[in-house]
Amino acid sequence: QVQLVESGGGSVQAGGSLRLSCTGSGRTFTNYAMGWFRQAPGKEREFVAAFSWSQGSTYYSDSVKGRFTISRDNAKNTVYLQMNSLKPEDTAVYYCAATRGTYYNGIPPQELWGPGTQVTVSS
């Protein structure tokens, strides 16, 4: 089973940028669609972005579209989330996740989760 670990979180001013990384172990990394989710205190966990290698597609929530970019380096077993023009409302714990499902008709159940990394954006 793939194990996921996030890195790259931190504190930035509004308008700044961060790049999150998620590195997976195991030999089946490319069999999973990789996604990023986030959860702010007192709120439900929400979908941010996903990269499906098998579908050759990327997906973004409306709240981050145009500001965030998801990418994947299979040689490094790593998926990235480049976050630009950050806003205070982006403050959350960001989680990397993996699924063998598809995003054709919505967000599928995730099978694997990383421990999360904190992103804090100050105004």
Side-chain angles (χ1 to χ4, degrees):
Q1 190 175 62
V2 175
Q3 185 177 52
L4 307 175
V5 180
E6 305 96 337
S7 63
S11 298
V12 297
Q13 295 276 10
S17 299
L18 284 174
R19 189 181 73 161
L20 305 183
S21 298
C22 173
T23 299
S25 62
R27 299 174 61 190
T28 59
F29 185 78
T30 56
N31 292 336
Y32 293 84
M34 305 301 301
W36 289 95
F37 295 74
R38 66 187 183 187
Q39 187 168 22
K43 296 184 178 180
E44 296 292 318
R45 187 172 298 183
E46 65 175 347
F47 169 77
V48 176
F51 190 120
S52 175
W53 178 258
S54 61
Q55 298 173 222
S57 302
T58 57
Y59 305 86
Y60 297 93
S61 69
D62 289 338
S63 63
V64 307
K65 192 174 299 182
R67 299 188 298 121
F68 292 9
T69 303
I70 188 170
S71 61
R72 187 168 180 168
D73 187 339
N74 288 331
K76 297 180 179 179
N77 284 351
T78 300
V79 63
Y80 304 95
L81 184 68
Q82 178 66 47
M83 305 184 294
N84 298 326
S85 302
L86 283 163
K87 305 174 182 179
E89 50 263 45
D90 294 318
T91 295
V93 176
Y94 283 70
Y95 297 91
C96 179
T99 181
R100 287 173 289 181
T102 68
Y103 287 80
Y104 288 128
N105 299 303
I107 303 168
Q110 305 298 304
E111 300 173 58
L112 304 169
W113 294 90
T117 185
Q118 177 71 47
V119 172
T120 302
V121 184
S122 60
S123 59

